[in-house]
Amino acid sequence: MELLEKRILKDGLILPGNVLKVDSFLNHQIDIELIDALGAEWKRLYADERITKIATIEASGIGIACLVARHFNVPVIFAKKSKSNNIGSDFYTTPVVSYTHGNTYDVIVSKKYLSPEDRVLIIDDFLANGSALRALINIIEMAGATVVGAGIAIEKAYQPGGRQIRDLGYRVESLARVKSMINGKIEFC
Ligand code: 5GP
C-alpha cells in the first residue's frame, strides 16, 4: 500500500537488531487517519469473509485493531501478557517469543470471548519471525474458532514468519512488505 510505504520511508528509523522504529505514527504515537486507511483496505480485502471478531496482542496491536474494527463493526479481543503461571482453567494460553525484547512470555485469552462460531481476523503492527501471529492462531484454534486470516501493517519479508505461516495455508495480507533494510535504506517487495 503506497500510502504506508511512503510514510515508512518518510518517518521510519532503522535501529540496531533489525528493528524498524515507526513509533511516530504506528505504535506509540498513532496517526488515526493512516490507520483508518489501513482499516478500509483490510475491509476491502476481507469483505466477503463474515468476520465476527478482530484479535490482536497486547500492547501495540490494540490501538490499531480498535480502529480497524470500526470498519468491520465487530468487537476486538486482545491476548494479554500473563502475569502469573497459575491462571486457572478459564483461559487459553500459549507462549510468545518477543522479537523486540528477546524473552519468552505467555499470553492469555479468556474462554468467554471466543467460540466455535467465531470467524476471526488477526491484526498486528509487525510480522517478523511469526511468533506473535502463531500464538494468536493457536489460541483461536484452541477455541474451535476459524482463523480467516491476518492483516499485518508491516511485514519484514526477509524474515521467515510470513512465508512459514502462508505455507501452513493461512491468508496473510501485509500492507507494506519490507524486502531489505541495508545501510540505512529500506526497500519494499
Ligand atoms: P514476530 O513475533 O513476528 O517475530 O514479531 C512480531 C512482533 O514483534 C510484533 O507484534 C511487534 O510488536 C514486534 N516487532 C517485530 N519486528 C519489529 C520491528 O522491526 N519494529 C517494531 N517496532 N516492532 C517489531
Side-chain angles (χ1 to χ4, degrees):
M1 187 190 191
E2 202 185 342
L3 182 69
L4 179 59
E5 291 182 0
K6 278 190 174 158
R7 189 61 179 271
I8 294 167
L9 292 178
K10 180 169 161 276
D11 292 331
L13 295 171
I14 302 169
L15 299 189
N18 240 320
V19 170
L20 177 59
K21 190 172 160 87
V22 285
D23 68 351
S24 64
F25 61 93
L26 190 66
N27 51 21
H28 189 29
Q29 175 171 264
I30 299 178
D31 181 331
I32 304 297
E33 262 185 58
L34 175 70
I35 309 304
D36 190 52
L38 306 188
E41 179 61 3
W42 282 314
K43 174 66 187 175
R44 188 185 69 78
L45 291 165
Y46 286 104
D48 301 327
E49 289 288 0
R50 292 178 291 109
I51 307 285
T52 64
K53 216 156 267 188
I54 304 266
T56 190
I57 197 158
E58 190 174 51
S60 52
I62 299 174
I64 301 169
C66 289
L67 290 164
V68 173
R70 295 285 295 169
H71 290 268
F72 289 87
N73 282 314
V74 297
V76 172
I77 183 158
F78 59 92
K80 293 184 169 206
K81 292 176 183 167
S82 166
K83 307 272 183 307
S84 147
N85 50 16
N86 181 24
I87 51 165
S89 57
D90 294 340
F91 294 87
Y92 301 111
T93 181
T94 196
V96 180
V97 181
S98 165
Y99 182 80
T100 37
H101 299 105
N103 58 334
T104 300
Y105 58 92
D106 288 327
V107 290
I108 60 170
V109 169
S110 169
K111 289 185 178 173
K112 270 193 289 190
Y113 302 125
L114 281 173
S115 66
E117 296 75 44
D118 276 318
R119 295 177 54 77
V120 185
L121 173 64
I122 298 169
I123 294 290
D124 207 1
D125 56 350
F126 273 93
L127 172 56
N129 291 326
S131 182
L133 186 48
R134 272 195 296 270
L136 287 164
I137 291 171
N138 278 344
I139 282 183
I140 293 161
E141 293 187 343
M142 276 181 221
T146 303
V147 177
V148 172
I152 302 293
I154 305 174
E155 175 179 343
K156 293 190 289 182
Y158 56 89
Q159 291 181 255
R163 182 180 42 75
Q164 289 169 352
I165 290 165
R166 288 185 184 95
D167 283 351
L168 291 171
Y170 296 99
R171 181 175 176 190
V172 180
E173 298 286 357
S174 304
L175 300 187
R177 299 186 73 229
V178 176
K179 185 167 74 177
S180 63
M181 299 198 297
I182 299 169
N183 297 330
K185 194 165 180 291
I186 301 168
E187 284 198 49
F188 297 101
C189 294

